[in-house]
Amino acid sequence: MSSQFDSFEDVYANAQEAVGVTLFTASVIADDGTSMARVYTTHPDVYPVGGKKTLAGDTNPVWLEQVLDGQRPFLGADTEAVRAFFFDSATIESLGCGAIVNVPVVSNGRTIGSMNFLGPEGSYDQRSVDAAVDVARRSVHLLEKALTAAN
């Protein structure tokens, strides 16, 4: 079994190697479950730490059902999927990303956040999802700490 990561920088380094990422972020559920707050980002100029997306207004309900409620990863393998599911798809595309894997981070049976892996269109498949799930599983304790700090 792989060990836990010591920091988000370690998570990012592993994500680059295991999944391949152009943009990587981690978010926790905040504001009594009404938003997601970013706790780590590789692009703070565009997606700053502390930035939030409301779950009701900014987030696709199908994504919410699958990732946050269903605790299942989401694979958007191409630009069409990114555009269909993310209101900020133009920003995502401007960074050279056209594919995404979102993995719920679960602690004691409860979804506490997500890890978000983005890369060029067509760069992700089921192996990428499996690798991203492993990265997220090894990061739960970091999101637990961030969740406490954010709420």
Side-chain angles (χ1 to χ4, degrees), residues 17-76:
E17 184 177 317
V19 182
V21 292
T22 301
L23 168 65
F24 172 73
T25 66
S27 300
V28 295
I29 295 176
D31 302 320
D32 296 320
T34 62
S35 69
M36 299 280 294
R38 202 170 304 106
V39 296
Y40 181 82
T41 180
T42 58
H43 287 68
D45 52 325
V46 181
Y47 289 107
V49 168
K52 293 183 180 179
K53 291 183 180 181
T54 64
L55 295 180
D58 294 337
T59 309
N60 184 299
V62 174
W63 186 93
L64 287 172
E65 174 63 32
Q66 181 173 330
V67 178
L68 296 188
D69 297 336
Q71 299 179 338
R72 296 181 318 272
F74 173 84
L75 170 61

Side-chain angles (χ1 to χ4, degrees), residues 46-116:
V46 181
Y47 289 107
V49 168
K52 293 183 180 179
K53 291 183 180 181
T54 64
L55 295 180
D58 294 337
T59 309
N60 184 299
V62 174
W63 186 93
L64 287 172
E65 174 63 32
Q66 181 173 330
V67 178
L68 296 188
D69 297 336
Q71 299 179 338
R72 296 181 318 272
F74 173 84
L75 170 61
D78 56 30
T79 302
E80 185 177 318
V82 172
R83 288 177 182 164
F85 280 86
F86 300 97
F87 78 95
D88 55 342
S89 61
T91 303
I92 291 169
E93 290 176 42
S94 76
L95 298 173
C97 300
I100 188 167
V101 175
N102 303 115
V103 179
V105 177
V106 179
S107 174
N108 298 316
R110 190 181 105 214
T111 305
I112 61 170
S114 70
M115 295 203 131
N116 313 295

